[in-house]
Structure formats: C-alpha cells, structure tokens
Amino acid sequence: MKKVYSLLLLLFFYGAVQAQSDRFIAAMQQKVAAFDTTFSVNGLTALANDFERIADAEKTQWLPYYYAALAQVNGGMMMTGGNMNGGDASKTDPIADRAESLLNKAAALTTDNAELHVVRKMIANLRMMADPMNRYMTYGQEGARALAKAKELDPANPRVTLLEAQDKFYTPEQFGGSKDEAKKLFEETVKRLDAHKPQTSIHPHWGRPAAQYFLGQFAK
C-alpha cells in the first residue's frame, strides 16, 4: 500500500511540474513572438516588464531574464536613433543599468553561454553611444571583451557576426571600420541564421531584420 501511495504521490508531483513547465513555455512563446515583431521603445519596455514578471514567477529560468535585458537594451538603442553620439546619458544609462541587472540574474541561472555575452556587448555599446569620444576606452574595450568571449563560446553564432558587422559599419575607416567588410559580415549573418537551429522555439533566434536592414543600406 505504501508503494502505491508513493507512486501516486510521484505521479501527482510530476504532473504538477509538467503543468508548470507547459504554462511557462506557452507564456514565453507568446512573448517571444511579440518580441520578434516589436520595434518601438514603449513596446519593448512593456515586453521587458512582461519577461521580468515571468522570470520572477519561475525563479529558475534564465531565458525570461535574458529577454527582459535584451528588450531593455533594444529600447535604449531605439532612443538613440541608432546613431553614434546620439544618446542622452541621463536617459540611456539607467536603461543600461537595468538591462545589466537583469542579465546578471540570467547569468546566475545558467552556465556561461554566448548569448549572454552578446547582450553584454550591446549594453556596453549603449553606454558608449552617449559619448563615444570619452567613453570608448571604458565601454568600447568592455564590449570588445564581451564579444570576443561570445565568439570563443560559439564561433558560429549569427548574433556575434551581426555585432561584428555593426562595429565595422559604424567605425570610421581610420579606426578600423570598413563598409565593405561590414557588408560581407551582414551577408554571413544571414547565412548563419539560415543554418542556425535554436534549441527550442523560445531560445534566441533574432537578428535577421537587423541584418537585412543594413544590407538594404548598401543597395541605396
């Protein structure tokens, strides 16, 4: 009788865990789909808050904290208009701080992975864009280290190539930039995205719209 009771208890526990997992995946699928099609500061801020609520409820999942950080930094980038020296530090630094805090929570829940370092690079870029001349030595180098670590962990990651391409695109030629090299890297990003197979539907797969946008700039 004790064995039957133990088996029933185990089945009940497994069913409860599975139901919780199903709810988490369903919630994440909905928000990730929204993230893929949201291109406004307000929309991304709202999504960041939604992802953070999911993360706080789950407590052991790194992906919602990761997406919350990513949505925050993307919103910050949009505030700058994507232009170097186009940011207002009083507005973008708090966003970078929030994104970094969320990313640190994600990092505490997973082993070292390239996707987290990609977002660290983006956060460093956001900080630097407010004042490139004075901030490059700090945040330019910080971003370079993060991107190098991401590349070391996952050399074929398309988002690594995307950020490399953006660096080449925006950096003046006298400091190592090159529009020709940028174009090749954007084309390589698209190829890698075509070949990339995310672990699940809620794992990182973003980058195509940005790569295609920049490639469109070369056709003009």
Side-chain angles (χ1 to χ4, degrees), residues 84-85 93 121 123-137 139-141 167:
M84 295 301 292
N85 210 25
D93 279 355
K121 159 67 170 171
I123 293 170
N125 281 358
L126 179 60
R127 294 189 189 279
M128 184 177 65
M129 288 172 73
D131 188 359
M133 292 296 292
N134 292 311
R135 291 186 169 197
Y136 173 76
M137 290 305 295
Y139 297 117
Q141 297 303 311
D167 280 352

Side-chain angles (χ1 to χ4, degrees), residues 59 98 102 199 218:
K59 302 186 186 328
R98 185 63 185 145
L102 290 163
Q199 184 177 337
F218 294 102

Side-chain angles (χ1 to χ4, degrees), residues 147-174:
L147 192 59
K149 184 63 176 180
K151 192 170 185 176
E152 174 189 331
L153 291 168
D154 188 2
N157 189 301
R159 284 160 289 284
V160 170
T161 312
L162 175 63
L163 296 189
E164 289 178 328
Q166 290 176 341
D167 280 352
K168 287 292 183 182
F169 185 89
Y170 284 117
T171 303
E173 288 190 9
Q174 62 266 37

Side-chain angles (χ1 to χ4, degrees), residues 9 19 21 27 29 47 53 58 64 67 86 94 109 120 122 131-132 137 154 156 167 170 185-186 197 201 205-206 220:
L9 188 62
S21 175
Q29 284 176 330
L47 277 173
R53 280 192 287 270
E58 290 293 326
Y67 276 108
L109 296 171
R120 289 202 189 281
M122 296 171 69
D131 188 359
M137 290 305 295
D154 188 2
D167 280 352
Y170 284 117
L185 286 166
F186 285 125
K197 303 296 182 187
S201 62
H205 54 264
W206 57 271
K220 294 179 179 180

Side-chain angles (χ1 to χ4, degrees), residues 34-68:
F35 173 83
D36 289 341
T37 57
T38 298
F39 305 102
S40 70
V41 174
N42 288 341
L44 287 167
T45 300
L47 277 173
N49 293 334
D50 289 342
F51 280 121
E52 186 176 5
R53 280 192 287 270
I54 294 172
D56 288 343
E58 290 293 326
K59 302 186 186 328
T60 61
Q61 298 285 348
W62 69 273
L63 276 168
Y65 281 128
Y66 160 85
Y67 276 108

